[in-house]
Amino acid sequence: MSAAPLVGYSSSGSEDEAEAGARVRPGTGGCSRGQSPLPSQKLPVPDSVLDMFPGAEERLADDSAKHGGRVRTFPHERGNWATHVYVPYETREEFLDLLDVLLPHAQTYVPRLVRMEAFHLSLSQSVVLRHHWILPFVQALKDRVASFQRTFVGLEVTSGHTQFLDLVSEVDRVMEEFDLTTFYQDPSFHISLAWCVGDARLQLEGQCLRELQEIVGEFEDSEMVLRAHAEQIRCKSGNKFFSMPLK
């Protein structure tokens, strides 16, 4: 299935936000009865002890400066894992060549645009899972999508929309089983190329998008460049990744 139109849109979710876990190393400090308090000293715990608990829940520092100014749509709580279901888009050199032309042109309208580090097509919103739900959730996803055929996508899907709706329907059923938020009503399917903080739709719509579309249309073999062979669905939960092959 091919893709074509470029779109400018705002996101109400944080599906592209990186969730990098950092282990907290506990320490102790105190004073004996009758003594003046001394500054607490945190002694490092040996790695051999920390590694005894590989499944321990990890604490994430909610520092938007580390994510280009992006802010979580829900506060982080210990034991909660941000989770997102998507189809990964494996880029080719020709696609990156096209992006090297598109992005600088778009940045003349919105200088703060930042190139995506990875590319994908979302099948769910970002939701919160408790740590002990992750494996049952992923297994339920595998059961639901086991019979789906592979498909092709580009910037914005112009064919194969029905097949993606079928996939979303199965993902939504798993979301409902775990009492989680389902995907958007009447969704459009697209691959994000770049992002920025704030709503820049007014700058991107109209002339900017028309010029970007002309660049795509004039790019050599653009129809083939903007096709992808999707072989798997992927689920990212915190810093864990799970893959489900498509037949």
Side-chain angles (χ1 to χ4, degrees), residues 59-78:
R59 180 176 300 169
L60 305 180
D62 194 5
D63 185 355
S64 64
K66 294 180 180 179
H67 307 296
R70 287 174 289 182
V71 179
R72 297 179 190 278
T73 55
F74 42 79
H76 174 70
E77 296 180 10
R78 184 174 177 82

Side-chain angles (χ1 to χ4, degrees), residues 7-12 15-16 116 188 190-194 198-201 204-205 209:
V7 290
Y9 60 93
S10 64
S11 174
S12 59
E15 64 194 33
D16 298 314
M116 297 294 296
S188 64
H190 55 267
I191 296 174
S192 300
L193 303 179
D199 190 345
R201 282 177 294 176
L204 290 172
E205 291 173 350
L209 282 179

Side-chain angles (χ1 to χ4, degrees), residues 45-188:
V45 178
D47 289 339
S48 59
V49 175
L50 291 173
D51 292 340
M52 292 171 63
F53 308 99
E57 296 172 349
E58 303 172 11
R59 180 176 300 169
L60 305 180
D62 194 5
D63 185 355
S64 64
K66 294 180 180 179
H67 307 296
R70 287 174 289 182
V71 179
R72 297 179 190 278
T73 55
F74 42 79
H76 174 70
E77 296 180 10
R78 184 174 177 82
N80 284 352
W81 293 67
T83 301
H84 176 219
V85 183
Y86 60 96
V87 175
Y89 175 61
E90 303 297 335
T91 60
R92 296 183 297 168
E93 183 177 354
E94 296 86 350
F95 174 85
L96 298 177
D97 290 342
L98 174 58
L99 188 55
D100 286 340
V101 179
L102 286 173
L103 185 55
H105 192 88
Q107 287 170 331
T108 63
Y109 289 86
V110 184
R112 66 182 185 277
L113 279 173
V114 178
R115 178 171 168 162
M116 297 294 296
E117 296 179 0
F119 305 92
H120 65 265
L121 187 149
S122 293
L123 297 177
S124 81
Q125 299 191 52
S126 285
V127 296
V128 174
L129 280 181
R130 299 296 294 176
H131 183 268
H132 59 277
W133 287 355
I134 293 176
L135 292 181
F137 178 86
V138 171
Q139 185 58 54
L141 275 178
K142 289 181 178 179
D143 294 342
R144 288 287 181 184
V145 305
S147 62
F148 273 84
Q149 304 296 314
R150 56 193 161 211
T151 188
F152 301 89
V153 300
L155 299 179
E156 182 180 17
V157 173
T158 56
S159 63
H161 192 82
T162 300
Q163 287 91 332
F164 280 109
L165 286 176
D166 289 342
L167 272 176
V168 167
S169 177
E170 298 301 327
V171 174
D172 278 350
R173 291 186 184 184
V174 177
M175 294 293 181
E176 290 169 349
E177 290 177 16
F178 287 81
D179 198 24
L180 297 171
T181 304
T182 55
F183 204 42
Y184 306 102
Q185 294 293 323
D186 301 320
S188 64

